[in-house]
Structure formats: structure tokens, C-alpha cells
Amino acid sequence: MPKLDFDIITLGHGSGGILTNKLLEAGVFDLLSNPLLDTHHDGALLNLTGRVAFTTDSYVISPVFFPGGNIGELAVNGTVNDLAMCGAIPKYLSLGFILEEGLTMAEFWDILVSIKGASERAGVQIVTGDTKVVERGKGDKIFINTSGIGELHPRADISIKNVRAGDKVIVSGNIATHGMAIMSVREGLEFETTLTSDTAPLNHAVLALLDEFGNDIHLLRDPTRGGVATVLNEIARDRNVGATRLGIDLKQAAIPVLDEVAGACELLGLDPLYVANEGVFLAIVAPEAADAFVRKLRTLDYGHSAAIIGEVVTEHPGQVVLTSRIGGRRVVNMLVGEQLPRIC
């Protein structure tokens, strides 16, 4: 951390004057330096070719530091993953801070360092941004907004319209880990093992899968807020139109969940299917490619626990139906209300 003549964020750091420039020059610009950001212009001028994906997201997680990461790393990974789910190769991010008066520079610096590390791991550049400061008590240390741009992979054809009966539903890893890690520190719960967030950049794994399987990958989604159940319900709802109306069958025994996460969910009366994830994606894949897809995914970073967990079916259109470990069947509805607020 550079030597500064202030230890905390004040309203003056959002004024656009000397304090703002000190904050940006000594912190943001030096740490995140790249040729596009170094112009210090009102925006970034980009060279892009072909089809482009664009996404935006905001992060209000509480607490801002949690086992396995912090809000800065989460913001980069989340936006990178949104682009990857579109079948795009992430290139550039914007970074907007809303800082609360009283945030310590030590905390802000830790978040900036995490942003730098996450950007490097994902292979993206921060090229433009903004910083605002609100009065003490009108924020919660820091909120972050990120937008991302990426170039579409030449073999990507990711669309809900491509989902068809017989497609396999694949999850890339253990579910519910992020949400339960946040809940454990927020509620002061003590477990025998420390639950750690799964926040991670998934773009490199998705790129390798697109290289090999191309348009056999019909749809990609990251099950963040609302978890796996909500995302699959959205897919079933959106395919419950037209001549071919589809639903989804799930197999409970096939869904990977860490034992400590399953135990924490049981203790708190939560269903892992509804708990947020930050390092997991769902793929709807052509049946003839599904087994090879899973084998490949298990060789890639963050995909070692990948599994086929269900199938797209013509029965019960618009619904997700789970077969339990003992053979019972129940409808898995979309999440009602907010199970875990401010999870990302």
C-alpha cells in the first residue's frame, strides 16, 4: 500500500478535486495500470471485431470480506462469468465504486489488490471507471458496479431457443458453497470446517469447452442469486412456449454438494438448490456430447466435480421436477422472496 496522508475515505475524496486525484493516482491508476486506463480519459476507445457481448452487474455483498474472497474479486469474477455464459471471450471491464465515508484505506487497498489479481487471472483489463463517496451511514463500506465487454467465440451459439428434449443438464461443480460461506460469517455460525466461497473466473474453462464442443453447447447459465433451482425454472418457463413445450427432470443423487455445505444447509433449514453460487455454471448440452463434455470439464480448473444432474423432457412442461434419493418426485418451484439477502 502506498504512503498516503489520509487513512480513511472522506466526502472530499468524491469531490473530483485534489483528494479525488490523490486517491486515484496513488491507488486505482497505479495498481490497475494498462495502456487504455492510463489515458485517464472520460471513456475507453476499444478495438473489437465481430459479434460482441455486453453485460453489467452491481455488488452489494455483506460482509465485503468473506472466507475465500472479497467484494472486489467477486465483482470481477461475476462480470467475467456473465460474459462467458454468453459464449464470449471477456476483454474489458468498467469499474464503478460507491464508497462510504469512513471506509479505511487499508480495506480499500485490499479490495483493489483483489481486483487486480482477479483481472489478471481472468485475462481482462479495467479500462474505465468512476468513484463516488456517500455520507457515513448511507452506504455499507463499499458498493461496486462493473460492466463487461467480450468478443463472441466463433463456435458459440448459446440461446434458449436451442434447448431441446433429451438435452442433458450439467453442473460444473459443487453447489451452494458461496451462499453458505457468506451465511456462516454473517450469522456468526461456527462449523467444524471453514466454509469458503467458490468465487472464481469460469471463462477459461468455458473457452476450452467451446473450442471442443461448439454448438453442442445449447445454453450456459451461472446460478447466482436464487441458485440452481431458480435458473432451471427460468429455463423451463422460457421453453414453455411454441409448439414444443419443455420441462426439466433432476436427479437429487447426482447433484454435487460438499458434505459440510449439506450439513450447514440442513442445520439452517435451507435447500442447497436455492443457495447462491459464484464459481459454478449450468450447461444444457446435446445428449450425444454430454459424457465427453463432463469428462473434459473434470480436467479443467473449477470443474473437477462436474456431473450430469438432469435432462430436458417433454413431460410437465414449464416445470422442474426432482427425483429424490429414495425415488419420490416433487416439483421444484422458483425461489419465493429472498432466502439470503445481499449475497453478491
Side-chain angles (χ1 to χ4, degrees):
M1 179 175 169
K3 291 184 178 180
L4 301 169
D5 57 3
F6 51 87
D7 296 323
I8 64 170
I9 298 296
T10 67
L11 288 174
H13 288 107
S15 68
I18 291 174
L19 284 177
T20 301
N21 278 272
K22 282 185 176 181
L23 177 65
L24 296 179
E25 293 291 346
V28 178
F29 289 147
D30 276 357
L31 194 62
L32 303 180
S33 175
N34 63 68
L36 291 170
L37 186 63
D38 291 347
T39 63
H40 298 182
H41 197 37
D42 286 348
L45 305 179
L46 309 176
N47 290 316
L48 298 165
T49 58
R51 297 177 66 196
V52 172
F54 174 64
T55 189
T56 190
D57 210 342
S58 298
Y59 297 85
V60 298
I61 191 168
S62 176
V64 296
F65 295 94
F66 49 84
N70 62 51
I71 190 172
E73 181 179 359
L74 187 70
V76 172
N77 290 341
T79 303
V80 163
N81 293 346
D82 285 347
L83 289 170
M85 297 305 100
C86 298
I89 303 165
K91 296 288 187 181
Y92 307 110
L93 301 186
S94 71
L95 181 64
F97 294 117
I98 298 177
L99 309 179
E100 184 187 20
E101 179 187 19
L103 175 71
T104 68
M105 275 305 302
E107 290 174 311
F108 188 44
W109 182 257
D110 285 346
I111 290 167
L112 286 173
V113 170
S114 292
I115 288 171
K116 177 180 174 63
S119 300
E120 291 175 346
R121 287 189 293 275
V124 297
Q125 291 181 312
I126 308 292
V127 296
T128 190
D130 185 46
T131 302
K132 297 290 192 299
V133 180
V134 298
E135 297 93 330
R136 191 185 301 267
K138 294 190 176 180
D140 193 353
K141 291 190 174 183
I142 179 173
F143 298 148
I144 298 178
N145 173 269
T146 47
S147 294
I149 292 176
E151 295 175 346
L152 209 66
H153 189 286
R155 297 195 67 196
D157 184 18
I158 309 298
S159 173
I160 188 69
K161 66 179 176 60
N162 294 331
V163 176
R164 64 175 189 260
D167 283 353
K168 302 299 182 182
V169 180
I170 296 168
V171 67
S172 66
N174 295 301
I175 70 167
T177 306
H178 172 76
M180 295 316 300
I182 302 304
M183 179 60 73
S184 68
V185 293
R186 185 183 295 170
E187 301 300 329
L189 302 175
E190 293 185 4
F191 299 108
E192 290 184 0
T193 57
T194 299
L195 300 180
T196 302
S197 169
D198 62 353
T199 178
L202 301 173
N203 55 313
H204 301 304
V206 171
L207 174 61
L209 293 166
L210 285 168
D211 284 342
E212 184 165 340
F213 297 99
N215 56 16
D216 281 334
I217 305 172
H218 294 163
L219 191 66
L220 296 170
R221 292 287 304 273
D222 59 337
T224 52
R225 289 172 297 168
V228 169
T230 296
V231 168
L232 291 180
N233 268 279
E234 290 171 351
I235 294 170
R237 176 199 65 197
D238 293 343
R239 283 301 280 115
N240 189 27
V241 294
T244 305
R245 299 173 182 265
L246 301 174
I248 294 175
D249 272 345
L250 286 182
K251 303 292 185 184
Q252 185 180 32
I255 299 171
V257 186
L258 292 172
D259 289 343
E260 54 267 36
V261 171
C265 286
E266 185 174 358
L267 179 67
L268 297 173
L270 301 174
D271 186 337
L273 286 171
Y274 293 99
V275 178
N277 309 272
E278 288 292 345
V280 172
F281 67 89
L282 292 168
I284 310 293
V285 177
E288 61 272 17
D291 289 336
F293 183 96
V294 170
R295 286 195 299 272
K296 175 69 175 181
L297 183 49
R298 287 175 176 171
T299 70
L300 301 173
D301 288 343
Y302 316 115
H304 300 157
S305 299
I308 298 173
I309 63 171
E311 183 174 342
V312 180
V313 297
T314 54
E315 295 82 10
H316 53 81
Q319 291 184 319
V320 179
V321 175
L322 177 77
T323 301
S324 72
R325 288 184 175 86
I326 60 173
R329 287 170 64 81
R330 66 176 175 90
V331 174
V332 178
N333 293 310
M334 189 175 291
L335 178 65
V336 177
E338 183 65 87
Q339 186 180 48
L340 298 173
R342 294 183 58 187
I343 206 73
C344 61

